[in-house]
Structure formats: C-alpha cells, structure tokens
Amino acid sequence: MLEQFRSKITEKKKIDGALSILQWDLETCTPKKGQEFLSEIVGYLTMKGYEISTSKEFVELLDKLKSNLNSLSPIDKKEVEIISEEIEKMKHIPSNEYQYFSELVVKAQGIWEQAKLSNNYKIYEDKLQEIFDYTLKFAKYNRKNEANLYDVVLNEYEKGMTTEKLDIFFESLKEEIVPLLQKIVAKGNPKRKLNFYNSIENQKKFNRKIGEYLGFDFDRGVVRESEHPFTLNVDKNDVRLTTKYVENTPFSAIFSTIHETGHGIYEQQIGDELKGTILACGGSMGIHESQSRFYENIIGRSKAFWKGIYSEAQNYNPILKEITIDDFYKEINIVEPSLIRTEADELTYSLHIMVRYEIEKELFSGNIKAKDLPKIWNEKMIKYLGIAPKYDSQGVLQDVHWAGGLIGYFPSYALGSAYSVQIYNAMKKDMDIDKVLENGEMDKIKNWLGDKIHKYGRLKETEEIIREITGEGLNPKYYIDYLKKKYSAIYNLDI
Amino acid sequence: MLEQFRSKITEKKKIDGALSILQWDLETCTPKKGQEFLSEIVGYLTMKGYEISTSKEFVELLDKLKSNLNSLSPIDKKEVEIISEEIEKMKHIPSNEYQYFSELVVKAQGIWEQAKLSNNYKIYEDKLQEIFDYTLKFAKYNRKNEANLYDVVLNEYEKGMTTEKLDIFFESLKEEIVPLLQKIVAKGNPKRKLNFYNSIENQKKFNRKIGEYLGFDFDRGVVRESEHPFTLNVDKNDVRLTTKYVENTPFSAIFSTIHETGHGIYEQQIGDELKGTILACGGSMGIHESQSRFYENIIGRSKAFWKGIYSEAQNYNPILKEITIDDFYKEINIVEPSLIRTEADELTYSLHIMVRYEIEKELFSGNIKAKDLPKIWNEKMIKYLGIAPKYDSQGVLQDVHWAGGLIGYFPSYALGSAYSVQIYNAMKKDMDIDKVLENGEMDKIKNWLGDKIHKYGRLKETEEIIREITGEGLNPKYYIDYLKKKYSAIYNLDI
C-alpha cells in the first residue's frame, strides 16, 4: 500500500519538477510570443498533477494510510498529513476552475511584465481583479464557515497565521519604526559613494564569488538573470537563483544575490533522508524568508561579514579601496525612504510589506477593487514612508507576486525578518558570530542553519522549529529591538 | 471523431512542448548534478506521450479515420498518415524499453559532456555501445525483414534514403572532392587575419545584429549559449537557437549563428494553417539542414552578402577596416583540413560527414564496436582529410549526436548541402541573388524560402518539395559542380 502511495508521489514529483522548469523558463527565457503556448502547457500539466491527487484510487489509498497513521514512519506520516490537507483543499475546487486559474496566472505574468515595462496599469487591472476574485472564491470553497477569508490565504503560506496576529505585528511597526524612520530622515545621510560604474561581466564575476563564499554549491545550482530575482528548486540537486544587474549600481545585484543565496542554501541542505518525498523542500514562506533575510541583512549588512571579504570586494570594485570599512558599513546601511521594495534598506523594508498587507486585507474585505490600487498604493506610501511613486511601474506594478497568484504571500517577508532575528539571537549562544564572519568561516553559519533548520524540510512546522531553537514562538519584539539598536547606533540617535 | 482526434493531438503537442523545454534546459541551464532527476522527468513525460499514442482509444480512432482517408482535408489526412506510421513503428517497441532508452540518452549526454571535457572516451564507450545496441534492436523490431537495418534508421531522418543512394553520393565526393582538397592543400593558404580578440559582450551584440539582419524574429525566439550549438522549436512562436562564443575567434560564433538562424527562420515561417497540428514544424532533417547550410554557406560565405553588411561588421570588428572585402572573402573561404566538423570549411565539411557515415554503417553491420571508435575515427580522418586528432575530445567525442540517440542523422548534413545548391540554382531563376544580397534585401530571400519550402512544414515530403522547386530529386552533381567552381576560382585552379 505504502509502495503504491510512494509510486504516485514519485509521479507527482516528476510533474512538479517539469512545472518548475517551465516556470523557470517563463521567467528567464521564453520569448514574448511564446508565453501563450507555454501557459497552456503549464495548465495542462498542473491538471495532470491535480488528477493524480484527486483520483479515487489515490484518495482511497490515502484514507487507508490515514486510518493507520501511527504505524507509519515519521516521514511517511507527515507526508500523508500534508497531502491529505492539500487534497481536502483541492477537492472543493472544480477542476475546470483550477485549470483556468493556473493558466490565468501564467498569462497575467506576461501582461504584468508588459504593464510594468510600459507603465500602463490599465492593461493589467482586469487580470489582477480576476486573480483576486478567484483567490477569494477558492478560499470560500475551502472554508465556508471562516469569517475572515484572508486568514485562509495567509494559511497557505504560513500555517496558523491570522489577521489578528499580523495586525499586532504591524501595529508595533507603526508605533516604533515609523517614528524611528522620521528621526533618521530628519538627521540626513552621508553622500553616497557606492553608485559607480561596474560592467555587467565584472559584476557577474564578483556575484559568483559571493555565492561560492557563502557556500552555494554550483554543481547543484545555477544563477541566471531575470527582471524580478527569485529562487526556485527542482530538487536539492537543482536549485536555481536569479539576480538582476544594473551597470551603475553594483550593490543592488550583490544584496539580491546574497538574499537569493540564502534561499538557495536552504534548499541545497534539505536532509537526504527526505529524498523522493514531498517533504524535500523548504518549509513555510516565513521560514524561507527568514533564511534569505538572515543572509541578506543580518550577515550581509554586518561589518564583520565585509571585514572577511573586503579585499576580494576591492578587487572587483576598485573604488572600495578609497572607502574605509566603517564608511562602507554606514553606506550599506543607509536608511532612506524609497519606492522599490526589493531595493529598500533593512529598516524601511517592512513598511513596504505593510502597504501590501493592508491592501490585500481591504481587497479581501471587498472595500476596494483592483482598479483603485494605484491611488491607494500611493496614499499608503505617503503615510508610512513619506514618498509616493510618480509612475505605477515604480509603485503598484513593481512586484510580480500578485500576477503569479501569490496573494497572502507578502506578510511572509515581514515574518521572515522577525524570525531571522530570533534565529540570530539563538545562534549567538552557540558561536561568536562576528569572529566567525571576520574569519570567513561561512561554513560554520551554513552548517548551524543546516542542522537546526534546513535538514528538516517540511518535516517540522515553522512554529515547531522556531520553538526548538529559541524557546518561544513568533515574537516581533526582538526584531524591533534589533532594528532600534542597530540604527540608533549607526545614526547616533538616543532612543 | 475528428474532434476527439484533434483533442488527443493537442494533448500530445503539449507533452512534446514540455519535453522541448526540458531538453532546452538540459543543454543550456541544468546544473551538473541536476541532470539525473531531469532525465527521469523526461523519461516519464516521454512515456506519457507514448501512452497516448498507443492507447486503444487513440489507435481505434485512427483506424476509423484511416478507413475514410479521402473524406479528410489534406492537412488532416497527412497528419493521420504520419501518426499512423509513427505508431506502427512504436507499437513494436516494448514500453519499458522505450522509457529506458529515452532516459538513457539523457544520461548519456551528461556523460558525453564529462568525457569530452576530460578527454576520456573510456567513461562513455559503454553508454554509446548501449545506444547503438538499442537503436539496432528497435530497427529490428520495426522491420524484421529488412536486410539492411541501417536503412531503417536512415529513414527516421530522411524518408526514402538508403545506403545505396548514400554510397553513390559519398563515392562521388571521394572521387571529386578528396583530390580537389589535395590540390588546394598543395597550393597553401594566405596568412589568417580573422582570429583576433573580441570580447564576448561585443560578439553577442554583433551576432544579435546578424540574426535581426537575416530576419529572425526575436519576439518569437531567443538566442542563448551552449557547448554544442543547436536549434529547437517549441512552436513557431517560440524558436530557440544557441551559439558558442570564443574570445579570440569571433567568426566561429558568427557562422554558427548564421547556420542556426537558417534553421530558426524555417521554423518561424511554418504556415499558420498548420497551427495545432503535428505538421507545424520543419520537414526531414535533410531539408532542415539545407536551410541552415544555405544560409551559412551559400549566403554567409558569399562576397555579395558581406558587401551588404560589411560596414556594420567593421563597427563590431574594427580590424576588418584593414581588410578589403576581397581578402575577407578569401579568408572566410579558406580551405584547410581541420579536426572539428562544426568549424570545418564548406569544402571539407562533407568529408567529416563521410567519416561518421562509414562508422555508423560499420557499427550497424556489427564489424566494429563502440570501443574501437577512437582508432577507426583517426584512421578515416587521415585517409580523407590527411590529419588526425591528438585528443579524442577533438575526435570521436566532438559531437553530441550519438549520445542523444541521433544515429543515422549525420548523413542529413551532407544531403542538406546537396539540396541547398539545388535550391540555390532554382532561386537564381527568380532573382538576381547577388544584387539582392548587396542591397541587404534579406527579406526577399526569406520570403522566397518561406513560400517555396517553409510554409509547408511537414505537409509535403522533402522529395516532393525539391521536385517542385527544381524539377528533379536529390542530385549530388550540382553540389559537386558548385564546390569545384567556387573553390577553383578562389584558389586559381585549373580543373
């Protein structure tokens, strides 16, 4: 019985693997007019996977296994549980709607790209509304009795997450971080030196070095380019990152590479004992983002990290020879309200997320429609960051997520930031992190994360992992304390 | 009934589309250790396509349609015929062997790459033997009564092709081209000026220009890099080429780009009325190669073509400012026995094919084994080209084809060369080609080929197309005459 189950899982994993490659291709390679056919292929294969999961044969198999859960190994048991939950969700969705939606999001991504490139929100808003409508509809199918349907989609990315918890989280950001930002803005910033010409070829070489330095295994992964950087795993032996190079702002690609490498190392360190199971990938979006943001901010924007690699950085960016490491540290931590989330500094980043969180919430409550977004976006940007975009391409159109059907995903970034600080505090108890970084012993960091988090894949829930490491669950207090301490020191603020 | 048939075809085309993307990914992107899982996915999807084609339902449907062939449109009719032939072939092959073979060739390509990079034929020879054995076995399943099984595989790529016809073809090459080559070698060559440093970035820009100039539509196609340049079509709106850049030999990439663009333009010009059918792609390998070699040699190595684009070429390759177009023309037509087929000049090219043809024939007859190939390869190179490789990586390991299961494919290159001259002679009757090229009116060439060849896809057989255009079938005489005329002029030979 277990054997039949495994054989079905193997089949599903092959379809999912093919879908990952197609998704990767769409974002890194497919020519404009080829997107339509590819989206049909994606719809077709998604449907094939759906058919396996919802087949009478498979459901019966699963029911039998469920009736005997305690006789299973922990891995088999967890797999059965996760799949049962997924099927429970899926079986409420009519298959034609499911297929329609999976094709819709592929097409929408093409249209989003055009809309962004041409700064024309109008051509995209209907598709976006449709995506929201479908997401809402699916959430309703799924939990008819749920008062707050936004909670249903939040749970897709972070089990147990609720609007109530997030409201508390973002309320504390409003109370503590928005005023801190205002103080910093009043103080002003040093003149930037880090925007300088560096050829794309040269940037690529340095970014490759950084990936290797952090411990990304290039025999089991690749780095390419895309408009919107992302990480995708086919399996632990095939992990793919993208970054985006801009000739005169080399540090944009560098932090993006460090961020995605954080995701990538997570996937590459999944335990071998999970091979062939659906547990063989990263856990919730929140814990995934905790890893990327840990590498990007806590490691990547620390002085100790750059001490370990500064001479190498100077080789690829000769202008750094004229900049002391103290000045460099200040520069990579400049706080400045800006328009683009992915290029935001560590402090303002979560405020960008707050804008998206509030919009998703209101769209779900039906108070607003997709057509209202540009206006509302800009109002919220003014309210929290003090600036608003002149062009929608730098505003509501900047992110691909919603076009890709990822609604309820954005809060994971903020959760990830909060988790990352909790993890950092725990890691400090086991090693002198600054010393490790100065010595360039990046493997020590990687191994610690591998052992405490990565190896488990989806075997353990995020909550469980965080509790084991830190002794408590999500607590935004540490994150806010960390930000206040770090930035009051950099800006000489007395808070 | 026709509707059910169309719906099955649509399904097959989606699976084939996914397989094309996976194949593309394997050759341009997949990390080394990711190849294994990807090969399993390829095996799985190949099997799914096989299951559709061989399902009772589909075969019955096809039988019904076949019993009523004359009531069908020409397009439907041709489709039914081709699919029936394919199924006829497939149904003799046990499905487990079919799946095994499709995974084998993916794995073999990975091993071939390692073997080539490390110049180690040993690690690859067993896999190669296995591929030959399976190909032979499948040929046997397919036509038990065929005396010459090599003819069976030749037919996979060129309908109606036989060892007998090819023997005549290659015999005339031996008689006419080998002595011509010896005369040219005796005369000696001018000192080469075209090997100079040009950055990869700059080369990419010029190659892109060339692609656009020839008429490749980049909204419906992409160009990337791979070890072995190739063209792949997902459909006419998604046509993909690769090329390979070498810093100090920019003209290597240029001729490779022109060659692949010839394939690419063919695919992009398939008639819209064939959309959604299995006829919507290029015809036999021979006719496909006739298009790439037409662009590469007849166009790309002509003086008139370069007259039309020489000032642009000088912009990207400043050294050309010091070279007259007459000298340039002589240089790009230098005849010199060399080791690598893809970099061979127009005259010696077919001799490289002859080496492969003879080896395939002998392997099929059982006279030799894969383990003997390095030795035999080198002997034949000496015999026909007067030189032999020092390293297998430059000899028997140079091409990916056999690793990919393409046995019987190589002769198509020679056939393509022969067809290309027959097509050229026909085109000359309709336009002053030299004038068209000098004026840079590349669309005229493209449209002529589109109208006479490309639009038909697989609706017409190669033989039929060639007869319509030229009034006769394959005839190597024109090709040999063309070579003799062109090269005796360049080398001032009296032959």
Side-chain angles (χ1 to χ4, degrees), chain A residues 11 14-15 21 24-25 28-34 38 44 48 201 219 221-222 224 237-238 240, chain B residues 11 14-15 21 24-25 28-34 38 41 44 48 201 219 221-222 224 237-238 240:
Chain A
E11 210 176 332
K14 284 177 187 165
I15 293 177
I21 302 282
W24 169 261
D25 193 273
T28 60
C29 193
T30 318
K32 199 168 73 184
K33 293 186 179 164
L38 218 51
Y44 170 74
K48 287 283 139 189
E201 276 310 296
D219 276 350
V222 296
R224 290 286 188 276
N237 289 328
D238 188 349
R240 299 160 180 227
Chain B
E11 210 176 331
K14 283 176 188 167
I15 292 176
I21 303 282
W24 170 260
D25 193 273
T28 60
C29 194
T30 317
K32 199 168 72 184
K33 292 186 181 164
L38 217 50
I41 299 176
Y44 171 75
K48 287 283 138 188
E201 276 310 297
D219 276 351
V222 296
R224 290 283 189 278
N237 289 327
D238 188 349
R240 299 160 179 226

Side-chain angles (χ1 to χ4, degrees), chain A residues 464-479:
Chain A
E464 194 182 349
I465 290 176
I466 296 293
R467 277 194 189 281
E468 278 180 12
I469 299 175
T470 70
E472 63 181 316
L474 173 71
N475 187 340
K477 174 183 168 299
Y478 304 103
Y479 174 50

Side-chain angles (χ1 to χ4, degrees), chain A residues 161-301:
Chain A
M161 198 41 58
T162 62
T163 312
E164 199 184 337
K165 286 185 197 172
L166 284 172
D167 280 346
I168 295 169
F169 180 89
F170 285 111
E171 208 49 52
S172 60
L173 280 185
K174 265 189 234 175
E175 270 167 35
E176 306 258 20
I177 303 302
V178 172
L180 174 60
L181 173 62
Q182 285 160 355
K183 278 189 200 164
I184 289 173
V185 169
K187 268 227 144 173
N189 273 314
K191 196 173 170 310
R192 275 180 191 268
K193 289 171 184 158
L194 290 181
N195 292 349
F196 52 88
Y197 176 82
N198 200 347
S199 75
I200 304 291
E201 276 310 296
N202 202 30
Q203 288 193 45
K204 279 186 191 168
K205 285 178 195 157
F206 183 51
N207 277 268
R208 167 92 187 194
K209 266 265 175 297
I210 294 230
E212 287 168 352
Y213 184 76
L214 296 172
F216 186 73
D217 178 353
F218 282 89
D219 276 350
R220 301 193 287 121
V222 296
V223 178
R224 290 286 188 276
E225 291 164 64
S226 72
E227 180 58 27
H228 191 97
F230 67 97
T231 300
L232 171 149
N233 72 311
V234 183
D235 78 352
K236 72 173 283 186
N237 289 328
D238 188 349
V239 178
R240 299 160 180 227
L241 327 177
T242 67
T243 192
K244 185 187 169 186
Y245 300 101
V246 185
E247 277 192 340
N248 58 355
T249 55
F251 279 84
S252 157
I254 288 166
F255 286 106
S256 155
T257 297
I258 298 176
H259 178 98
E260 300 305 334
T261 303
H263 285 301
I265 287 175
Y266 187 174
E267 292 293 346
Q268 290 189 333
Q269 295 208 103
I270 301 293
D272 281 329
E273 63 281 11
L274 302 179
K275 192 176 155 62
T277 74
I278 64 150
L279 310 180
C281 63
S284 74
M285 292 306 140
I287 191 120
H288 230 305
E289 284 302 322
S290 80
Q291 299 308 289
S292 53
R293 304 196 68 71
F294 179 82
Y295 270 102
E296 178 191 353
N297 291 322
I298 295 183
I299 301 292
R301 293 187 203 272

Side-chain angles (χ1 to χ4, degrees), chain A residues 41-202:
Chain A
I41 300 175
V42 167
Y44 170 74
L45 286 180
T46 306
M47 205 55 210
K48 287 283 139 189
Y50 174 90
E51 279 168 14
I52 294 175
S53 303
T54 54
S55 71
K56 195 160 162 273
E57 186 195 351
F58 188 66
V59 172
E60 281 173 6
L61 213 53
L62 207 60
D63 283 343
K64 279 183 205 156
L65 290 169
K66 266 187 341 199
S67 68
N68 227 332
L69 262 193
N70 291 328
S71 70
L72 299 178
S73 73
I75 289 175
D76 292 334
K77 190 177 163 192
K78 185 73 185 177
E79 233 185 335
V80 168
E81 283 170 358
I82 290 178
I83 293 175
S84 301
E85 275 174 33
E86 279 171 9
I87 289 177
E88 193 54 41
K89 260 185 273 174
M90 269 199 281
K91 81 177 179 201
H92 299 294
I93 301 174
S95 68
N96 59 336
E97 292 186 15
Y98 186 75
Q99 178 160 17
Y100 181 82
F101 184 71
S102 57
E103 290 181 24
L104 171 66
V105 296
V106 176
K107 279 179 204 147
Q109 286 174 72
I111 295 169
W112 162 79
E113 199 183 348
Q114 291 309 306
K116 183 177 175 180
L117 289 170
S118 60
N119 186 44
N120 185 354
Y121 181 76
K122 277 273 158 222
I123 60 170
Y124 166 61
E125 67 179 32
D126 286 349
K127 279 272 177 290
L128 182 58
Q129 184 65 50
E130 213 182 340
I131 289 172
F132 271 103
D133 291 345
Y134 266 90
T135 308
L136 188 64
K137 198 172 175 184
F138 289 175
K140 262 187 211 159
Y141 287 149
N142 192 357
R143 303 233 206 120
K144 289 200 183 73
N145 304 321
E146 183 74 58
N148 188 339
L149 289 169
Y150 188 48
D151 283 0
V152 180
V153 300
L154 287 174
N155 263 273
E156 295 277 315
Y157 304 104
E158 200 70 18
K159 215 173 173 179
M161 198 41 58
T162 62
T163 312
E164 199 184 337
K165 286 185 197 172
L166 284 172
D167 280 346
I168 295 169
F169 180 89
F170 285 111
E171 208 49 52
S172 60
L173 280 185
K174 265 189 234 175
E175 270 167 35
E176 306 258 20
I177 303 302
V178 172
L180 174 60
L181 173 62
Q182 285 160 355
K183 278 189 200 164
I184 289 173
V185 169
K187 268 227 144 173
N189 273 314
K191 196 173 170 310
R192 275 180 191 268
K193 289 171 184 158
L194 290 181
N195 292 349
F196 52 88
Y197 176 82
N198 200 347
S199 75
I200 304 291
E201 276 310 296
N202 202 30

Side-chain angles (χ1 to χ4, degrees), chain A residues 213 294 297-309 329 424 427-442 444-445 482 485-486:
Chain A
Y213 184 76
F294 179 82
N297 291 322
I298 295 183
I299 301 292
R301 293 187 203 272
S302 72
K303 202 185 285 182
F305 172 74
W306 287 99
K307 278 188 186 163
I309 198 182
Y329 172 66
Y424 175 56
M427 191 188 278
K428 270 198 281 197
K429 290 179 190 154
D430 288 346
M431 67 179 95
D432 180 344
I433 299 181
D434 278 356
K435 213 177 128 201
V436 164
L437 292 174
E438 283 172 27
N439 293 339
E441 298 167 310
M442 301 308 299
K444 285 194 179 161
I445 309 273
Y482 159 86
K485 194 174 155 212
K486 176 170 176 180

